[in-house]
Amino acid sequence: MYKLYNGDCLEKLKQIKDNSIDLVIIDPPYEKKGNGYYCGGGSFGTNNREYHSQLDSNNLLNGVDNNVLDELIRVMKKGNIYIWCNKQQLRQYINYFEDKGYNTDLLTWHKTNPVPTCNNKYLSDTEYLLFFRENGVKIYGNYNTKKKYYVTPTNKKDKKTYNHPTVKPLNIIENLIINSSKEHDIILDCFMGSGTTGEACANTNRKFIGIELDNNYFDIASKRIEEAFFNAQNKEGAINEEE
Ligand SMILES: C[S@@+](CC[C@H](N)C(=O)[O-])C[C@H]1O[C@@H](n2cnc3c(N)ncnc32)[C@H](O)[C@@H]1O
């Protein structure tokens, strides 16, 4: 089961009930650079630009939008949220959630094929993934799913297939879901991009709510998620027949 919204997450989140979401996984655009808007090296289109100019005019720092975070806190049953971010955003997210009494973990994804950088700079080979949870929120999973670091190349094939610059690795997202939710739980991603979190939910038997601003990415994600849920259902049917 899944539900997808095309539009600005701050608006669309208002349609989601209080205390209804078990786990949030988000990957918001990271930062503004020159005339383009970048997230881990990829650029986005006009809609995203509008989003950022709105952030700038609200004097919100580094692309972190506390209004969206407030909405996410409202819709979660208990605080349980993963956020991909860049180095500049770490302090702001940690301050926001620790002020609310949440516990913090920092996970990382180390890319084995980073884009070369110019002199006097380290490679851009590390993505940060913050995990915040309220006291009492459980971690499931096992020894293999609970490590805090991942070492893999960026998946050029997925980027090409879904025509999106910052597709996250499906196996990482599946691990997060297995570690932080149970089957049939409801997972929310309000910056869903190509729909990786949605596909991961289909593969792990969770329900999914997704929001995406850009019309083109919304169509790509919708197709990907529809197929993933269809395949998961057929697989389940086949297993039941075998029993
Ligand atoms: C970093 S990408 C997410 C990529 C995704 N994790 C994946 O694996 O494909 C961020 C996405 O957020 C979308 N976005 C930007 N501002 C938004 C907003 N205000 N509401 C909803 N989506 C937004 C962008 O269009 C972009 O596709």
PDB file of all heavy atoms in Angstrom, residues 146-158:
ATOM      1  N   LYS A 146      23.142  -3.573  11.046  1.00  0.00           N
ATOM      2  CA  LYS A 146      23.255  -2.449  11.976  1.00  0.00           C
ATOM      3  C   LYS A 146      24.587  -1.706  11.961  1.00  0.00           C
ATOM      4  O   LYS A 146      24.841  -0.888  12.840  1.00  0.00           O
ATOM      5  CB  LYS A 146      22.932  -2.932  13.393  1.00  0.00           C
ATOM      6  CG  LYS A 146      21.429  -3.208  13.548  1.00  0.00           C
ATOM      7  CD  LYS A 146      20.969  -3.169  14.970  1.00  0.00           C
ATOM      8  CE  LYS A 146      21.380  -4.409  15.703  1.00  0.00           C
ATOM      9  NZ  LYS A 146      20.656  -4.551  16.975  1.00  0.00           N
ATOM     10  N   LYS A 147      25.421  -1.964  10.963  1.00  0.00           N
ATOM     11  CA  LYS A 147      26.677  -1.201  10.933  1.00  0.00           C
ATOM     12  C   LYS A 147      26.375   0.262  10.559  1.00  0.00           C
ATOM     13  O   LYS A 147      25.372   0.534   9.895  1.00  0.00           O
ATOM     14  CB  LYS A 147      27.675  -1.830   9.976  1.00  0.00           C
ATOM     15  CG  LYS A 147      27.232  -1.778   8.535  1.00  0.00           C
ATOM     16  CD  LYS A 147      28.300  -2.293   7.614  1.00  0.00           C
ATOM     17  CE  LYS A 147      27.846  -2.104   6.196  1.00  0.00           C
ATOM     18  NZ  LYS A 147      27.968  -3.219   5.333  1.00  0.00           N
ATOM     19  N   LYS A 148      27.274   1.167  10.995  1.00  0.00           N
ATOM     20  CA  LYS A 148      26.982   2.587  10.786  1.00  0.00           C
ATOM     21  C   LYS A 148      27.667   3.171   9.553  1.00  0.00           C
ATOM     22  O   LYS A 148      27.581   4.367   9.319  1.00  0.00           O
ATOM     23  CB  LYS A 148      27.384   3.377  12.032  1.00  0.00           C
ATOM     24  CG  LYS A 148      26.386   3.160  13.170  1.00  0.00           C
ATOM     25  CD  LYS A 148      26.499   4.213  14.231  1.00  0.00           C
ATOM     26  CE  LYS A 148      27.581   3.835  15.186  1.00  0.00           C
ATOM     27  NZ  LYS A 148      27.610   4.590  16.413  1.00  0.00           N
ATOM     28  N   TYR A 149      28.364   2.325   8.801  1.00  0.00           N
ATOM     29  CA  TYR A 149      29.018   2.865   7.607  1.00  0.00           C
ATOM     30  C   TYR A 149      28.787   1.924   6.413  1.00  0.00           C
ATOM     31  O   TYR A 149      28.628   0.717   6.590  1.00  0.00           O
ATOM     32  CB  TYR A 149      30.529   3.037   7.844  1.00  0.00           C
ATOM     33  CG  TYR A 149      31.240   1.725   8.020  1.00  0.00           C
ATOM     34  CD1 TYR A 149      31.823   1.071   6.930  1.00  0.00           C
ATOM     35  CD2 TYR A 149      31.297   1.116   9.266  1.00  0.00           C
ATOM     36  CE1 TYR A 149      32.445  -0.159   7.083  1.00  0.00           C
ATOM     37  CE2 TYR A 149      31.911  -0.113   9.431  1.00  0.00           C
ATOM     38  CZ  TYR A 149      32.480  -0.746   8.338  1.00  0.00           C
ATOM     39  OH  TYR A 149      33.080  -1.966   8.498  1.00  0.00           O
ATOM     40  N   TYR A 150      28.747   2.517   5.256  1.00  0.00           N
ATOM     41  CA  TYR A 150      28.595   1.760   4.010  1.00  0.00           C
ATOM     42  C   TYR A 150      29.723   2.173   3.074  1.00  0.00           C
ATOM     43  O   TYR A 150      30.056   3.366   3.015  1.00  0.00           O
ATOM     44  CB  TYR A 150      27.252   2.077   3.348  1.00  0.00           C
ATOM     45  CG  TYR A 150      26.078   1.603   4.167  1.00  0.00           C
ATOM     46  CD1 TYR A 150      25.533   2.420   5.154  1.00  0.00           C
ATOM     47  CD2 TYR A 150      25.540   0.340   3.980  1.00  0.00           C
ATOM     48  CE1 TYR A 150      24.479   1.975   5.931  1.00  0.00           C
ATOM     49  CE2 TYR A 150      24.484  -0.110   4.750  1.00  0.00           C
ATOM     50  CZ  TYR A 150      23.955   0.713   5.721  1.00  0.00           C
ATOM     51  OH  TYR A 150      22.914   0.270   6.484  1.00  0.00           O
ATOM     52  N   VAL A 151      30.289   1.224   2.361  1.00  0.00           N
ATOM     53  CA  VAL A 151      31.341   1.538   1.394  1.00  0.00           C
ATOM     54  C   VAL A 151      30.911   0.942   0.055  1.00  0.00           C
ATOM     55  O   VAL A 151      30.943  -0.277  -0.125  1.00  0.00           O
ATOM     56  CB  VAL A 151      32.696   0.938   1.822  1.00  0.00           C
ATOM     57  CG1 VAL A 151      33.794   1.351   0.840  1.00  0.00           C
ATOM     58  CG2 VAL A 151      33.065   1.366   3.240  1.00  0.00           C
ATOM     59  N   THR A 152      30.433   1.787  -0.838  1.00  0.00           N
ATOM     60  CA  THR A 152      29.986   1.304  -2.157  1.00  0.00           C
ATOM     61  C   THR A 152      30.219   2.408  -3.198  1.00  0.00           C
ATOM     62  O   THR A 152      30.329   3.578  -2.827  1.00  0.00           O
ATOM     63  CB  THR A 152      28.470   0.994  -2.203  1.00  0.00           C
ATOM     64  OG1 THR A 152      27.754   2.226  -2.004  1.00  0.00           O
ATOM     65  CG2 THR A 152      28.047  -0.022  -1.181  1.00  0.00           C
ATOM     66  N   PRO A 153      30.259   2.051  -4.473  1.00  0.00           N
ATOM     67  CA  PRO A 153      30.296   3.115  -5.486  1.00  0.00           C
ATOM     68  C   PRO A 153      28.937   3.788  -5.624  1.00  0.00           C
ATOM     69  O   PRO A 153      27.930   3.214  -5.192  1.00  0.00           O
ATOM     70  CB  PRO A 153      30.649   2.361  -6.772  1.00  0.00           C
ATOM     71  CG  PRO A 153      30.352   0.930  -6.506  1.00  0.00           C
ATOM     72  CD  PRO A 153      30.286   0.714  -5.029  1.00  0.00           C
ATOM     73  N   THR A 154      28.900   4.998  -6.186  1.00  0.00           N
ATOM     74  CA  THR A 154      27.596   5.572  -6.552  1.00  0.00           C
ATOM     75  C   THR A 154      27.058   4.716  -7.685  1.00  0.00           C
ATOM     76  O   THR A 154      27.808   4.264  -8.545  1.00  0.00           O
ATOM     77  CB  THR A 154      27.697   7.032  -7.064  1.00  0.00           C
ATOM     78  OG1 THR A 154      28.773   7.092  -7.969  1.00  0.00           O
ATOM     79  CG2 THR A 154      27.877   8.021  -5.959  1.00  0.00           C
ATOM     80  N   ASN A 155      25.765   4.500  -7.646  1.00  0.00           N
ATOM     81  CA  ASN A 155      25.179   3.591  -8.607  1.00  0.00           C
ATOM     82  C   ASN A 155      24.827   4.330  -9.898  1.00  0.00           C
ATOM     83  O   ASN A 155      23.752   4.910 -10.036  1.00  0.00           O
ATOM     84  CB  ASN A 155      23.928   2.954  -7.991  1.00  0.00           C
ATOM     85  CG  ASN A 155      23.437   1.822  -8.840  1.00  0.00           C
ATOM     86  OD1 ASN A 155      23.687   1.788 -10.046  1.00  0.00           O
ATOM     87  ND2 ASN A 155      22.745   0.901  -8.223  1.00  0.00           N
ATOM     88  N   LYS A 156      25.790   4.294 -10.838  1.00  0.00           N
ATOM     89  CA  LYS A 156      25.587   5.051 -12.083  1.00  0.00           C
ATOM     90  C   LYS A 156      24.416   4.485 -12.870  1.00  0.00           C
ATOM     91  O   LYS A 156      23.704   5.213 -13.549  1.00  0.00           O
ATOM     92  CB  LYS A 156      26.862   5.001 -12.926  1.00  0.00           C
ATOM     93  CG  LYS A 156      27.980   5.809 -12.284  1.00  0.00           C
ATOM     94  CD  LYS A 156      29.178   5.901 -13.199  1.00  0.00           C
ATOM     95  CE  LYS A 156      30.280   6.676 -12.482  1.00  0.00           C
ATOM     96  NZ  LYS A 156      31.619   6.283 -12.847  1.00  0.00           N
ATOM     97  N   LYS A 157      24.201   3.159 -12.733  1.00  0.00           N
ATOM     98  CA  LYS A 157      23.124   2.515 -13.496  1.00  0.00           C
ATOM     99  C   LYS A 157      21.763   3.069 -13.043  1.00  0.00           C
ATOM    100  O   LYS A 157      20.928   3.449 -13.862  1.00  0.00           O
ATOM    101  CB  LYS A 157      23.199   1.005 -13.276  1.00  0.00           C
ATOM    102  CG  LYS A 157      22.302   0.224 -14.174  1.00  0.00           C
ATOM    103  CD  LYS A 157      22.663  -1.257 -14.172  1.00  0.00           C
ATOM    104  CE  LYS A 157      21.459  -2.086 -14.483  1.00  0.00           C
ATOM    105  NZ  LYS A 157      20.768  -2.590 -13.307  1.00  0.00           N
ATOM    106  N   ASP A 158      21.556   3.129 -11.707  1.00  0.00           N
ATOM    107  CA  ASP A 158      20.280   3.647 -11.194  1.00  0.00           C
ATOM    108  C   ASP A 158      20.081   5.116 -11.574  1.00  0.00           C
ATOM    109  O   ASP A 158      18.979   5.544 -11.916  1.00  0.00           O
ATOM    110  CB  ASP A 158      20.220   3.516  -9.656  1.00  0.00           C
ATOM    111  CG  ASP A 158      19.818   2.108  -9.243  1.00  0.00           C
ATOM    112  OD1 ASP A 158      19.505   1.302 -10.137  1.00  0.00           O
ATOM    113  OD2 ASP A 158      19.826   1.829  -8.032  1.00  0.00           O
TER     114      ASP A 158
END
